[in-house]
Amino acid sequence: MTDSNNTEKKPWAGRFNQPTDVFVEAFTQSVSYDKRLADYDIIGSSAHIRMLAKVEVVTKAECEMIIQGLDAIMADIQSDQFKWSIALEDVHMNIEAALVQRIGDVGKKLHTGRSRNDQIATDLRLYLRAEMDDIRLKINALIQVLLTLAASHNETIMPGLTHLQAAQPITFGHHLLAWVAMLQRDQARLQDCRVRVNVLPLGAAALAGTSYPIDRDYVAELLGFDAVMQNSLDAVSDRDFVIEFLACASVMMMHLSRFSEELIFWMTQANGFIDLGDQWCTGSSIMPQKKNPDIPELVRGKTARVYGDLMALLTLMKGQSLAYNRDNQEDKESLFDAIDTVKACLVAYTGLVPTMTVNKTAMYAAAAKGFVTATDLADYLVVQGLPFRDAHEVVGKIVHYAISQDKALSELTLPELQQFSTAISADVFAVLTLEGSIAARDHAGGTAPRQVTKAIERIKKQMASEPEQP
Ligand code: ARG
């Protein structure tokens, strides 16, 4: 519950004679959304007070009281008993006020040697680190369902497209593994970004550091940060890590959006390659026959908002002088929105993919139509001794002829083929079949069924060797 009244005493009220205008309170508050950071705010505060006790700025007894108070507040928040107040502006001041109310004046010692500026930067990094680790697991789950589907379609033949035109036959499993490769890069990007998220700003205080004999390495160790930020001005004003994450999220959404586009295309009546489970589709209020791929469409649509979140942060930061400015408060809703969106879309796809049914006959028929073994025929002629450019020319003429006869390449007779090149003999028909074409691409990264199976094994091994927590 968030209360709105301006009777609460603000921690910064000392310098002011007049109470804050009610509009200003509503305009400046962030608690309605930054309360999402509460757990991390408390974890950060507990580490801070432990450090202050270690360097003897507060006593052990004071530290214990404060930690107990913070733990009780966390329990209240988690059980929804905590009363949030807009008059107390943000998550930090709400928790601090509750602490003082609960344990008395000793609670006022928590904010020694610290500012909300380094506090919010710390909260945000702790929060984002946890969310990134969760996103990584969610990508893993999606990769798993794609691998399962790919394994059962290592021999399923479909037309591979360029320019949306039939190009060469491929296996459906191979196509799905292209999606997996995109998701694996998304994970690698997040891992790299995590290195720059996982650095401690606390200790920078407002901007210049603090006069207390603080031990920042100890705080970093308590909070699991790999290092401390080396410049106090940078520590409080840097939001590169949010921008980097949003860039990673944008690329990931671009991938999910491309998957969406393909699913929607495969599900059209014209293609009929796949169907999606009834539970994962919706209908039309006017056209009784409709079954629409709304989930992929929404994922494609939601990509736009994540790009918007990235643009918001880039624009937010571009005009800011060092160090902290209140503008930074506007970083949170974009970040939260992107995280919620990315997670929901990954969950959506992990649920949707296993409901997919594949119409192998339709895929095969479409592949058989588009002269997709023309490259194989050219390669055959090269083996017989023709330079590739000449072979390309000969096959172009054969395709032109086949179109005029309304025949597929494999339906042409040997004498028909031999009109175009005497290098062609009866063994040509082996390379003109779809099966022959895919089986021939039997090298690492190729579409042959054997390679699809090998690639799945390799990816599974890679995933098994990755640590659960980075
Ligand atoms: N709510 C603020 C934010 O999100 C916390 C830091 C406020 N600092 C300040 N000097 N007003 O950025």
Side-chain angles (χ1 to χ4, degrees), residues 100-367:
V100 174
Q101 204 177 36
R102 189 177 274 271
I103 66 169
D105 279 356
V106 62
K108 295 179 181 170
K109 296 200 172 188
L110 171 61
H111 212 52
T112 312
R114 171 178 90 163
S115 152
R116 279 185 294 156
N117 299 352
D118 57 348
Q119 192 178 353
I120 186 61
T122 305
D123 292 6
L124 213 52
R125 285 171 186 270
L126 287 171
Y127 161 79
L128 182 54
R129 183 180 72 187
E131 291 292 357
M132 285 170 76
D133 291 345
D134 185 37
I135 290 170
R136 182 166 156 254
L137 295 180
K138 287 189 161 52
I139 300 176
N140 268 347
L142 176 53
I143 290 178
Q144 292 294 356
V145 298
L146 287 171
L147 290 180
T148 303
L149 189 64
S152 58
H153 290 288
N154 67 326
E155 291 184 346
T156 305
I157 294 176
M158 70 186 296
L161 311 179
T162 60
H163 314 269
L164 270 189
Q165 305 284 320
Q168 292 179 337
I170 55 169
T171 49
F172 184 51
H174 191 56
H175 193 119
L176 293 172
L177 291 187
W179 290 9
V180 170
M182 291 149 89
L183 290 169
Q184 285 189 301
R185 281 199 301 279
D186 292 331
Q187 280 189 320
R189 256 185 291 275
L190 282 174
Q191 282 304 96
D192 185 48
C193 172
R194 194 184 190 280
V195 173
R196 283 169 296 282
V197 172
N198 205 27
V199 193
L200 175 78
L202 212 61
L207 75 164
T210 174
S211 55
Y212 298 98
I214 57 171
D215 182 346
R216 299 184 69 205
D217 290 329
Y218 180 60
V219 180
E221 193 190 311
L222 289 177
L223 294 175
F225 283 111
D226 295 326
V228 301
M229 292 194 76
Q230 291 300 317
N231 181 292
S232 63
L233 292 177
D234 181 50
V236 288
S237 58
D238 168 38
R239 293 293 181 274
D240 295 3
F241 66 102
V242 179
I243 294 174
E244 269 192 61
F245 167 77
L246 292 172
C248 295
S250 295
V251 174
M252 191 191 318
M253 288 303 298
M254 178 269 287
H255 289 160
L256 295 181
S257 186
R258 295 182 73 180
F259 302 174
S260 300
E261 180 65 17
E262 298 199 309
L263 287 177
I264 294 162
F265 177 66
W266 293 340
M267 200 176 144
T268 56
Q269 274 78 27
N271 284 318
F273 290 175
I274 61 156
D275 196 10
L276 300 173
D278 274 4
Q279 326 87 292
W280 286 83
C281 291
T282 55
S284 157
S285 57
I286 176 169
M287 296 167 283
Q289 85 282 12
K290 291 301 287 290
K291 175 172 165 183
N292 297 326
D294 291 44
I295 299 292
E297 286 173 2
L298 277 169
V299 170
R300 191 175 58 184
K302 283 174 188 291
T303 303
R305 59 194 290 160
V306 177
Y307 291 2
D309 294 329
L310 170 62
M311 279 306 129
L313 257 287
L314 285 167
T315 314
L316 178 71
M317 298 313 295
K318 75 178 275 292
Q320 286 198 52
S321 60
L322 297 179
Y324 177 85
N325 302 285
R326 191 62 176 267
D327 312 39
N328 282 348
Q329 183 163 296
E330 289 291 315
D331 61 359
K332 284 165 210 63
E333 285 168 294
S334 295
L335 176 62
F336 297 164
D337 178 68
I339 285 174
D340 291 345
T341 305
V342 162
K343 286 193 338 189
C345 292
L346 288 168
V347 170
Y349 262 113
T350 307
L352 177 79
V353 168
T355 76
M356 195 192 302
T357 48
V358 176
N359 185 340
K360 294 186 190 183
T361 316
M363 281 185 177
Y364 192 92

Side-chain angles (χ1 to χ4, degrees), residues 403-420:
I403 293 170
S404 72
Q405 301 300 305
D406 197 21
K407 282 182 170 179
L409 287 179
S410 57
E411 288 166 354
L412 297 174
T413 63
L414 190 57
E416 278 180 307
L417 287 164
Q418 283 171 336
Q419 290 170 47
F420 297 93

